[in-house]
Amino acid sequence: RRTVLGLGLSALVAGPAWAAKPIKVTAEQAEAIDAISAYLNSFKTMQGEFTQISPKGNVSRGVFYISKPGKMRFEYAPPNPFLIVSDGTWLTIKNVKKEKGDQFPLSQTPLRLVLGNKVDIVKDTSVLDYQDQDGILTVTVEDKKNTLGSGQLTLVFDQTRKVLQQWIVTDGKGRKTTVSLENLQAGIEPDPKLFVVKIKRDSKNGP
């Protein structure tokens, strides 16, 4: 059931092929997308709260911490037993109750787009859809190098507040996992121990 949980991340790594045709981005659209990249590049550390809706409509909540480059922790509130931690190299999805989990290279997940020191969405991705309405910019992308696996990532950006408010992961079968962000605080240095996790490994998906 990893594909239902874990921010939709493992679904992208393991999903089947998804054919999509990129659109030709205009100069004006590229400038608007660059504002998302600029926002992601504007902070090194961030923490806040999140709400996740799974493909089946299950709702989970929790708190998250980010420390660039590459470190992240998504901590789900009970009864969801999962914890997601990136140490900069490996992304670990852990079942806290069972002390077991799985690991994936961070470079093969969508989170590399938001955890890098330098984010350039226009350069690093193929834009599949662009919607700009009432101050909300919605951009759907896939990785040019296919390191996002076979799925798509949709970023929802509030142009008035200049903040990323949501992302949606769509796997190779069209299943969507939505993650909404709120109560964001940038510039607070998190405890380095938050990005260390130990598991009884079920599998390690990497080279």
Side-chain angles (χ1 to χ4, degrees):
R1 290 178 53 89
R2 289 179 326 214
T3 53
V4 177
L5 301 160
L7 309 179
L9 303 178
S10 55
L12 292 195
V13 176
W18 176 287
K21 187 176 181 180
I23 65 172
K24 187 173 182 178
V25 177
T26 67
E28 184 178 359
Q29 290 173 335
E31 185 177 355
I33 297 172
D34 284 343
I36 304 179
S37 299
Y39 167 74
L40 294 173
N41 291 327
S42 70
F43 62 87
K44 292 294 184 183
T45 62
M46 177 173 283
Q47 64 188 53
E49 301 172 4
F50 70 92
T51 301
Q52 174 184 297
I53 303 175
S54 77
K56 293 185 177 181
N58 297 321
V59 178
S60 300
R61 293 180 173 84
V63 296
F64 74 91
Y65 306 86
I66 289 174
S67 180
K68 295 181 179 180
K71 295 181 180 180
M72 176 214 74
R73 179 185 181 98
F74 271 72
E75 193 171 305
Y76 289 82
N80 190 321
F82 283 83
L83 171 68
I84 300 176
V85 176
S86 170
D87 62 5
T89 303
W90 289 97
L91 181 81
T92 302
I93 302 177
K94 177 181 180 179
N95 186 319
V96 178
K97 289 183 178 179
K98 297 181 179 179
E99 291 296 323
K100 292 184 178 181
D102 295 285
Q103 291 184 308
F104 305 92
L106 175 63
S107 61
Q108 293 182 15
T109 76
L111 287 176
R112 72 169 193 83
L113 287 177
V114 298
L115 295 179
N117 269 329
K118 180 65 175 177
V119 178
D120 190 334
I121 296 171
V122 173
K123 180 181 178 181
D124 295 338
T125 72
S126 296
V127 178
L128 305 179
D129 189 52
Y130 177 100
Q131 303 289 333
D132 186 348
Q133 188 172 6
D134 298 327
I136 301 297
L137 176 60
T138 303
V139 181
T140 300
V141 302
E142 66 179 7
D143 198 315
K144 289 180 178 178
K145 298 179 181 179
N146 200 35
T147 56
L148 297 191
S150 59
Q152 302 169 0
L153 177 66
T154 299
L155 302 172
V156 181
F157 185 71
D158 187 324
Q159 295 171 303
T160 302
R161 296 190 299 131
K162 296 189 182 304
V163 64
L164 182 68
Q165 65 178 33
Q166 187 179 87
W167 73 65
I168 303 165
V169 172
T170 305
D171 71 11
K173 294 183 178 180
R175 296 174 298 198
K176 297 179 184 292
T177 299
T178 300
V179 178
S180 300
L181 308 176
E182 52 197 356
N183 297 328
L184 305 179
Q185 294 178 289
I188 300 176
E189 198 69 34
D191 187 338
K193 293 179 182 178
L194 290 172
F195 310 112
V196 178
V197 62
K198 295 181 180 180
I199 60 170
K200 296 177 182 178
R201 190 171 299 132
D202 286 339
S203 63
K204 192 168 187 176
N205 300 283

